[in-house]
Amino acid sequence: MSESDEDWLSLRPVEPLPNQCCGSGCKPCVFDVYQKELAQWEEAKEKNDSSLLTKKKEEVKSDLLLLNSDTFTAFKLSCVERLTSDTNLYRFELPRGRSLQLSLGQHIVLRGMVNGLEVQRAYTPINPVNAENYFEVIIKCYDNGLMSQYIKSWQEGDLLFWRGPFGGFPYEPNQYGQLLMLTSGTGLAPMLPILQCITENEEDETFVTLVGCFSTVESIYMKSLLQDLARYWNISIFYVLSKETSVENLPWSCRENTHIGRVNSDILHSVMDLCRRKPFVLICGSVTFNNDMLSFLESLGLQGDSCFVF
Ligand SMILES: Cc1cc2nc3c(=O)[nH]c(=O)nc-3n(C[C@H](O)[C@H](O)[C@H](O)COP(=O)(O)OP(=O)(O)OC[C@H]3O[C@@H](n4cnc5c(N)ncnc54)[C@H](O)[C@@H]3O)c2cc1C
């Protein structure tokens, strides 16, 4: 097939803008995909054969894996549950008896279209890794967030496009005597499948202490799931609430395990004193939160090789 210069120009892939990238270091990133498509375009142009461009740019279906790290697959949004004023739980349908087959703590990348611009952002499924027929993500929407605008337009039944998986925390049962999980907001997400994996395995005797940082009691996500998990003999859960004024104003169920204020080295010191063994620390929050936690832990004598940042 022969094409004019103008036709070739219209087929040339467009270089992504920096804010289209999710920034989570996934491979391939939107820029890798662009480089690959550009090379494909240059080859097709050289051979003057545009049929070489039609190869797998869009969604693919694999019989074995539902997800693919290169290309996007459509999943149906089956249910939206409001968790707080700005955060919802989104449940996606999978074919009957199928699971996403993620490893612990892995994230997936969502593709959105905002004002004609393709945007990609990372989200971490919270369901147990062996869950069949569905997967779930909790997403906080920001007023001025690009993907947030797209997510706010979703309706149950919509088809949304995901690729992955990426990242993850390599975990073996009883590998660590004690895990200490430090999370801020939706940073809770990668911890939930790890907690569920430990509590579902009677042979796994790992102690886990989770510190969840939120602004108020109302903003704590998945409170009833966390309460259920805290009933296990090896799981302890603490909250640090930055916008509450006094423990006395909190419901009785939260008073004993809540600190008021922002998490600091004193709070971490008291939490670490309650750990049964020297902890291996998992950290997930904003970049500032993660860096703050690493420096508090260092001041408490914990080295970087005892920490994993999502
Ligand atoms: C590996 C990984 C896993 C993630 N998992 C989840 C998850 O499970 N659930 C989830 O909700 N998010 C998760 N995120 C964050 C998510 O990828 C997006 O960054 C977030 O949804 C904001 O995207 P946006 O396009 O709406 O905002 P952007 O357009 O990227 O940002 C615009 C503005 O929004 C605000 N904003 C964006 N992100 C933050 C933040 N973290 N803290 C404070 N203000 C912010 C700021 O004001 C910012 O200037 C994850 C990120 C990574 C890297």
Side-chain angles (χ1 to χ4, degrees):
M1 190 186 304
S2 166
E3 307 283 335
S4 72
D5 279 356
E6 212 170 285
D7 289 339
W8 277 112
L9 218 54
S10 71
L11 293 169
R12 194 180 197 276
V14 180
E15 185 168 5
L17 298 169
N19 65 0
Q20 287 177 263
C21 166
C22 72
S24 62
C26 45
K27 284 264 170 239
C29 158
V30 282
F31 293 102
D32 301 326
V33 174
Y34 165 69
Q35 289 301 338
K36 198 171 146 194
E37 287 178 0
L38 187 63
Q40 213 176 17
W41 177 82
E42 279 164 352
E43 188 196 336
K45 186 169 181 283
E46 177 81 29
K47 294 182 177 158
N48 203 22
D49 180 1
S50 62
S51 70
L52 295 172
L53 293 178
T54 53
K55 277 191 249 158
K56 62 180 176 114
K57 183 170 159 53
E58 274 305 316
E59 304 68 45
V60 291
K61 280 254 178 282
S62 153
D63 283 343
L64 294 172
L65 291 173
L66 294 171
L67 275 173
N68 184 298
S69 59
D70 286 308
T71 49
F72 287 90
T73 306
F75 294 94
K76 187 169 163 187
L77 177 65
S78 57
C79 175
V80 181
E81 185 189 330
R82 184 182 152 103
L83 298 180
T84 68
S85 57
D86 55 16
T87 304
N88 291 325
L89 182 141
Y90 299 90
R91 176 179 276 231
F92 291 87
E93 212 172 88
L94 294 181
R96 207 176 156 73
R98 303 289 302 276
S99 118
L100 272 194
Q101 299 185 10
L102 301 190
S103 305
L104 290 171
Q106 283 192 310
H107 63 270
I108 53 180
V109 169
L110 172 71
R111 182 180 74 186
M113 291 303 290
V114 186
N115 302 329
L117 188 74
E118 182 179 311
V119 182
Q120 301 192 13
R121 295 285 183 269
Y123 298 96
T124 314
I126 59 157
N127 49 274
V129 285
N130 54 3
E132 292 180 351
N133 308 330
Y134 76 97
F135 73 93
E136 287 175 334
V137 284
I138 39 177
I139 304 184
K140 174 171 177 170
C141 286
Y142 299 90
D143 285 341
N144 52 351
L146 277 179
M147 187 62 92
S148 301
Q149 285 180 48
Y150 175 66
I151 290 169
K152 281 180 197 165
S153 73
W154 287 357
Q155 306 278 337
E156 288 177 3
D158 283 356
L159 286 180
L160 287 321
F161 291 86
W162 295 91
R163 69 182 175 104
F166 303 101
F169 170 60
Y171 176 77
E172 292 294 327
N174 298 311
Q175 182 183 357
Y176 306 101
Q178 166 90 52
L179 288 174
L180 172 59
M181 300 174 164
L182 305 178
T183 75
S184 164
T186 53
L188 181 66
M191 309 302 178
L192 292 175
I194 301 172
L195 281 162
Q196 287 161 334
C197 167
I198 292 172
T199 54
E200 275 171 18
N201 180 359
E202 282 179 13
E203 310 288 311
D204 193 341
E205 302 213 318
T206 308
F207 286 99
V208 186
T209 300
L210 170 89
V211 178
C213 301
F214 297 92
S215 53
T216 59
V217 175
E218 287 74 35
S219 66
I220 301 175
Y221 312 124
M222 320 293 294
K223 217 179 293 154
S224 59
L225 173 65
L226 291 174
Q227 273 167 357
D228 288 346
L229 287 166
R231 290 195 186 100
Y232 283 85
W233 62 274
N234 50 344
I235 311 288
S236 308
I237 296 184
F238 295 93
Y239 301 111
V240 181
L241 304 178
S242 60
K243 288 193 182 153
E244 294 288 354
T245 47
S246 154
V247 176
E248 276 69 47
N249 298 337
L250 304 180
W252 281 99
S253 58
C254 291
R255 289 191 187 184
E256 275 185 10
N257 56 348
T258 299
H259 295 269
I260 302 293
R262 295 182 80 82
V263 69
N264 54 30
S265 52
D266 288 343
I267 292 180
L268 278 190
H269 190 253
S270 66
V271 169
M272 278 169 73
D273 272 352
L274 295 170
C275 286
R276 305 295 184 99
R277 297 168 185 152
K278 187 176 174 219
F280 185 86
V281 188
L282 306 183
I283 304 170
C284 190
S286 64
V287 175
T288 318
F289 176 86
N290 296 346
N291 290 338
D292 285 351
M293 295 308 110
L294 287 171
S295 68
F296 295 148
L297 290 166
E298 196 182 353
S299 72
L300 294 169
L302 214 82
Q303 303 303 315
D305 58 3
S306 298
C307 302
F308 180 92
V309 180
F310 283 90

